[in-house]
Amino acid sequence: MPEARLAAGIWVSAYLARLGLANIPAYVLARGDATAGAVLVKCALLDGSAQLYSREWDFETGARPWKMIQQGPEAEIDQAVQRQRGFDPDLWVIEIESRDGQTLLDSDGLA
């Protein structure tokens, strides 16, 4: 049976609330489709570099874990995000600021 999916806008709101409780600054850089938009999470490490996360299908298990899809200079990450937005205007983009790279994406309830 397929995994139930939470509407993207609700997931983003819950994620931002959880980040706020952990005192991790977060911003919505781009609003996507409230129901079915995909989400990218950019983690700015505040040293000029960043990491980019996306959920990807694991076809063997059927799970959709968060995976780091790119890391490097923040300007390159921003360009990658803009390219993705060019392909998918329904894409949500969340930016967090975390010197230690803490995203909470591996926390219970965010899968």
Side-chain angles (χ1 to χ4, degrees):
M1 182 170 182
E3 175 184 322
R5 292 191 60 188
L6 191 61
I10 293 171
W11 185 91
V12 167
S13 293
Y15 182 53
L16 293 174
R18 185 171 278 184
L19 290 165
L21 290 172
N23 293 318
I24 299 173
Y27 316 93
V28 176
L29 295 181
R31 290 188 183 278
D33 183 90
T35 304
V39 179
L40 288 179
V41 175
K42 173 189 164 190
C43 180
L45 300 174
L46 305 175
D47 64 358
S49 66
Q51 302 165 331
L52 189 61
Y53 294 85
S54 175
R55 287 186 78 186
E56 296 186 357
W57 285 102
D58 180 338
F59 292 105
E60 289 184 21
T61 66
R64 294 184 59 225
W66 285 94
K67 299 217 178 204
M68 184 187 313
I69 58 171
Q70 190 172 348
Q71 62 182 349
E74 190 168 2
E76 289 179 15
I77 300 300
D78 289 340
Q79 290 171 355
V81 167
Q82 288 308 315
R83 281 192 303 275
Q84 281 296 112
R85 291 269 310 148
F87 298 128
D88 185 359
D90 293 332
L91 183 68
W92 288 81
V93 182
I94 308 302
E95 179 172 343
I96 64 176
E97 296 177 348
S98 176
R99 288 187 194 284
D100 62 2
Q102 186 177 14
T103 64
L104 305 182
L105 292 171
D106 57 355
S107 298
D108 289 340
L110 288 176

